[in-house]
Amino acid sequence: MRESVRNYWSQPDDRGSGDPPGVRGGRHDEEILTALVDSLAERGIERSWIQAGRSATLPGAYGLGRSAWDLAVIKDGIPLGAIILKSLGGSSYRNNYNNRLQELTSIAFDVRRQYRSHELNQLQPCLGLFFILREDERINIPARKPNDTYARTGDGLSYKERLGEAFEQFCEDGLYDKVCYVSSGGENNTSLEEPRSEMSIEEFVKNFAGKVASLAETHGTTGITAVTFGEMLSHRSDIHEVLTGLTSTPTGMLAAEAAVIRRRRALLADLRKLALAENTNETRMQKALEGQYWIFGGQYIGVAVRRDLMNLHQHDIPLVYADRSLNIIELKGPEAPLTRRPRDNHLIPSGAVHEAVGQCMNYLRTLDEMGAALGTLHQNDLNLNYDYRRARATVVIGYPGRTAHGLATREQIDQTIRTYNAHLSRIQVLTYADLIDAAERALAFEEDGNQGDGSA
């Protein structure tokens, strides 16, 4: 381990540069990581738990997906620890110093944020930082103080001392559990120095391995598995970010997805009961659908941040497509009649359906006439980037079986609404039964070979 660190800067860089850059990579990092794996294995960490390279990831946050580390310890789908390897050298210590600290802060905080809930806090992985500084006379000269009035950690100290202070702060703030901080010479110089004894190579490997082993034992005695881990993650409000970041733990990801599917199926069951309840109206349905835009389909990326995008109109649920265009969802009560039977005995849409469609026509007309001007205004003043051209609208109304509907059957109602929709251009009419049925089918995840066309 010490030999690989000692020679880190002494060999020419992979890219053929005579002056090694501030960040090394390739075989230099591989040698350190190989030595780390061997050292951890010698201290009882199973090699099968250790992952390096692209597979060394932890769940990330803020929609950034997987959090990439250089080495990760994952047992049965549960992350136990991770190590990031960073170096500092080259000609511009000041810029590289700031960049390294920002990188190290963000990647650790990204993981810590993912585990911030009470039940996940006990599963916090051990985060380790392995930092190699290139020995140079410039790193021992007190750094020039910037031209501002803000106090900084290590003001008046050299870069070598400032790094030590910053790493100590990392540990005190809980960003990192263990830090290894070493400096080694450049070409023709195989010196090795450990500026802080508590951050030596030996202390780092011993303490990191000990913490990981302790976490593995704790998980074993408490019955924590990848399934329970996934269940805990699935209860997070930012579940999309969680599932994106769980790629590093396949078993946990499957468990989290299964938990989300169960929760969504339960929500749909409750929504169906609500739609059939006698005292349910438009207001109660809108409240139940709040924040559940996934029910309308996977083509939407979210809901517009404002419901009053157009003058004189208040939209129930303005859904946003991936191309930033809109689909205005107009909700009506599930008790609303869907069809009526005039004198010729043919079923036609009810007056409530016609009225809701006419309301959506006015929405679309306003968007067509004012969209261009309001789009520029919203972009400049509100930082809203929506495309108002050729927007669409959907009416969700009624539930077959909720009212008599002129003694029409579900099939007759579906045929009547389908005929009506065929003559509309940018507006679609759905019943609450249609909406819930489609969402339930989307959650089915049937095998391709077992799917039928429904004609049997």
Side-chain angles (χ1 to χ4, degrees):
M1 183 76 228
R2 299 180 68 84
E3 191 64 23
S4 60
V5 176
R6 193 188 304 275
N7 296 323
Y8 187 76
W9 299 104
S10 63
Q11 303 177 44
D13 184 64
D14 290 351
R15 290 159 288 194
S17 171
D19 182 20
V23 180
R24 307 212 99 187
R27 61 189 173 86
H28 302 87
D29 287 356
E30 290 177 4
E31 291 175 4
I32 300 291
L33 293 175
T34 300
L36 272 173
V37 172
D38 292 339
S39 298
L40 293 174
E42 291 173 0
R43 287 163 176 79
I45 305 302
E46 294 287 342
R47 289 183 181 271
S48 60
W49 301 355
I50 305 175
Q51 301 180 17
R54 293 184 177 180
S55 60
T57 56
L58 298 181
Y62 297 105
L64 298 177
R66 295 172 295 173
S67 178
W69 294 70
D70 293 297
L71 183 150
V73 183
I74 301 175
K75 180 178 182 291
D76 298 330
I78 303 177
L80 301 177
I83 297 174
I84 187 168
L85 173 61
K86 288 292 182 181
S87 57
L88 177 62
S91 57
S92 180
Y93 273 96
R94 179 180 179 181
N95 291 339
N96 289 336
Y97 169 86
N98 293 333
N99 292 339
R100 292 311 155 266
L101 291 188
Q102 290 172 0
E103 292 168 6
L104 293 170
T105 301
S106 62
I107 190 171
F109 184 78
D110 185 44
V111 174
R112 296 305 187 198
R113 189 256 186 187
Q114 199 72 295
Y115 289 81
R116 66 183 179 181
S117 69
H118 175 71
E119 59 181 0
L120 284 172
N121 189 61
Q122 62 177 327
L123 301 179
Q124 289 263 8
C126 178
L127 300 185
L129 164 61
F130 199 106
F131 196 92
I132 306 176
L133 179 66
R134 187 186 185 192
E135 193 64 43
D136 186 289
E137 61 181 11
R138 290 169 294 177
I139 67 172
N140 294 305
I141 300 175
R144 179 172 57 87
K145 187 175 181 179
N147 296 323
D148 58 47
T149 59
Y150 300 111
R152 288 172 170 78
T153 299
D155 272 351
L157 302 178
S158 66
Y159 282 112
K160 180 187 286 188
E161 293 169 323
R162 290 178 68 185
L163 281 169
E165 293 289 324
F167 296 154
E168 181 180 358
Q169 194 71 51
F170 280 173
C171 295
E172 291 178 356
D173 292 344
L175 284 177
Y176 291 89
D177 298 286
K178 312 298 175 186
V179 174
C180 177
Y181 175 35
V182 297
S183 66
S184 60
E187 296 181 25
N188 304 318
N189 182 356
T190 57
S191 63
L192 174 63
E193 182 182 346
E194 294 167 324
R196 294 198 171 210
S197 59
E198 71 275 15
M199 299 180 186
S200 67
I201 296 174
E202 180 64 26
E203 286 294 311
F204 174 79
V205 174
K206 180 183 69 175
N207 293 330
F208 183 86
K211 180 68 178 293
V212 167
S214 176
L215 287 172
E217 183 179 356
T218 300
H219 295 168
T221 56
T222 57
I224 297 295
T225 66
V227 175
T228 54
F229 177 60
E231 290 274 2
M232 291 177 184
L233 285 169
S234 73
H235 291 112
R236 289 285 303 276
S237 59
D238 54 347
I239 187 61
H240 179 268
E241 299 171 3
V242 172
L243 289 179
T244 304
L246 266 176
T247 308
S248 61
T249 59
T251 308
M253 180 176 183
L254 291 175
E257 287 178 335
V260 172
I261 292 169
R262 287 196 297 272
R263 290 173 58 205
R264 289 184 171 182
R265 282 177 176 160
L267 186 147
L268 291 175
D270 292 340
L271 197 62
R272 192 183 296 275
K273 291 179 182 178
L274 184 65
L276 289 169
E278 290 185 4
N279 60 342
T280 301
N281 55 20
E282 173 186 339
T283 302
R284 293 189 65 188
M285 292 303 297
Q286 182 169 342
K287 185 176 181 180
L289 287 168
E290 185 176 344
Q292 309 296 337
Y293 71 86
W294 59 269
I295 291 177
F296 294 91
Q299 66 270 41
Y300 305 107
I301 61 173
V303 181
V305 297
R306 298 177 65 112
R307 294 175 54 198
D308 58 345
L309 293 170
M310 298 293 124
N311 296 342
L312 306 179
H313 296 306
Q314 185 86 356
H315 304 135
D316 289 337
I317 307 178
L319 294 179
V320 182
Y321 288 99
D323 63 357
R324 297 178 292 104
S325 63
L326 299 181
N327 186 358
I328 306 301
I329 306 298
E330 179 62 27
L331 299 178
K332 296 301 179 183
E335 80 286 358
L338 292 168
T339 60
R340 67 184 183 92
R341 195 182 296 272
R343 295 177 182 176
D344 60 3
N345 290 325
H346 288 289
L347 287 173
I348 64 173
S350 67
V353 173
H354 282 297
E355 183 178 338
V357 170
Q359 192 173 348
C360 287
M361 288 180 179
N362 286 329
Y363 292 160
L364 299 184
R365 177 177 58 83
T366 303
L367 283 167
D368 289 341
E369 293 176 353
M370 305 177 62
L374 286 177
T376 302
L377 178 66
H378 292 169
Q379 173 72 37
N380 293 338
D381 292 354
L382 302 177
N383 198 29
L384 299 179
N385 186 19
Y386 300 131
D387 187 348
Y388 297 132
R389 290 171 294 184
R390 310 304 292 170
R392 284 154 279 191
T394 300
V395 174
V396 184
I397 184 172
Y399 195 107
R402 175 73 187 268
T403 58
H405 296 300
L407 301 180
T409 65
R410 168 72 186 269
E411 182 178 4
Q412 290 173 323
I413 292 174
D414 289 344
Q415 289 175 346
T416 302
I417 297 298
R418 186 166 65 249
T419 301
Y420 187 60
N421 280 329
H423 291 80
L424 299 176
S425 176
R426 295 155 57 193
I427 301 174
Q428 180 186 21
V429 177
L430 293 175
T431 69
Y432 282 99
D434 295 331
L435 179 67
I436 296 170
D437 289 346
E440 287 180 338
R441 285 192 295 271
L443 295 177
F445 290 103
E446 295 179 312
E447 297 276 337
D448 290 341
N450 295 330
Q451 288 181 342
D453 58 7
S455 61

